[in-house]
Amino acid sequence: MTTHSSTAPKIRVGIDFGTTNSVVVIADEHGTTQPAVFNFIDSPSSETCRTLLCLWLDQDGKKRVLQDAIGLDAIEAYLDDPAESRLIMSMKTYLAQGSFRETRVFSSTMTLQNLIARFLRSLMDKAGISPDQVSATIGRPVRFAGELADDELGVKRLKESFVEAGFAEPNVVLEPEGAGWRFMQRLDAPATVLVGDFGGGTSDFSVMRFDPHGSPRTVTLGHSGVGIAGDQFDFRIIDNVIAPALGRDTTYRVMGGQPLPVPIEWYASLGRWHRLSLMRTPQTLRSIEDVAKTASDPQKLRNLLRLIEDQEGQNLYRAIGQAKTELSRQDSTVLRFAHKDLKIEQTITRADFESWISPDLDKLATAIDDALERTGLGTNGIDRVFLTGGTSFVPAVRQLFIDRFGADRVDGGSEFVSVAEGLALIELEAGGAA
């Protein structure tokens, strides 16, 4: 752990820059943490900010100046004028991908670090704090997303992004370690804890030894990670319920020839509502309309067309999220979504959902076992299990831990802000606070 110099600013923060959501937590000298509150058009007083950035050009006298909006405001800005704006998403996903170096934004070339720094500056502005006023500890995943992820490159770019945003060089800590520090506040005796941190794009596991009164108070024994989390579970519902209703399994003909499958890439974009918004280009809309003319079920494709044209992706994903949440509390639910001629009203049982996510659960189970193997500890060597992140509410996910460790050892809490809270506490410790 890096210790900041004695000249560091007094405002100490933990920042969880996530694939899907980002959180900022402030710690005072007494060890009390307080999440920053963000106000958006459709969601005032939120403790989380969607990790989205919208860029556009505004006229300022004779110059055109690049403007931005973040979070839910970025969505509104993009939908106001999609042709003249650029919506940037999943920035964290590309941190460890050496193939992504830069992109064109209007007439300028911007690196990934430029984009993330712009998001971070606006994030802190909404939190009411200037980056140069703070000393920050930030989180990183155990394994960055991507098949060929370069974790060292991911950390380097992450640090560079924060420095470019105006922060002093941040202290970088594994995200599950942040969650573990949050959990440590409940302990009154030494314990070995398995921390499971479920984000939007990755799930991370760390085995840690905590001693509330020791020095050091925490020692990391081993960790593992996998690029599967809440977004993947949403996609399973899309794939099994929504995509068939929008024509994925239909065929079409060219010049009266043999039946051909409709382009599968349209349905891959359905898996993320913000990517669905990006399909609203004249070329894509014309392609869907052309395919619909000779399709075996043209109405389904026209329903897809209307969904894209009328920018209903966000509403669709709200319905999916609600169904997933209800399946965490009850044995079945009805996924309801309607738009013009499209009407979906399908019962989903928890058993259905668990069968769809079964391959993902297998990968999560392997990652849990890998974390234990790296420590040389068996299940009996784990005193407590702490789970955080929205996916930890999914009963089948929780059951993975109950099966291994027993329900009495599995705990949770502050599922959406615990990582940033722990990072803020680590920052306080690193700064030499009492």
Side-chain angles (χ1 to χ4, degrees), residues 4 12 34 71 75 141 145 148 174 178 184 211 226 237 261 298 309 347 381 400 413 420:
H4 298 295
R12 301 197 175 275
Q34 180 63 48
I75 301 165
L148 300 174
L174 292 169
M184 185 176 70
D211 184 347
V226 63
I237 297 176
E309 283 182 327
T347 298
L400 292 174

Side-chain angles (χ1 to χ4, degrees), residues 83-95:
E84 297 297 326
S85 59
R86 178 84 178 269
L87 185 64
I88 312 295
M89 63 210 76
S90 303
M91 292 176 279
K92 186 178 180 180
T93 301
Y94 299 100
L95 277 170

Side-chain angles (χ1 to χ4, degrees), residues 124 128-134:
M124 297 306 290
I129 308 170
S130 175
D132 61 10
Q133 295 177 323
V134 308

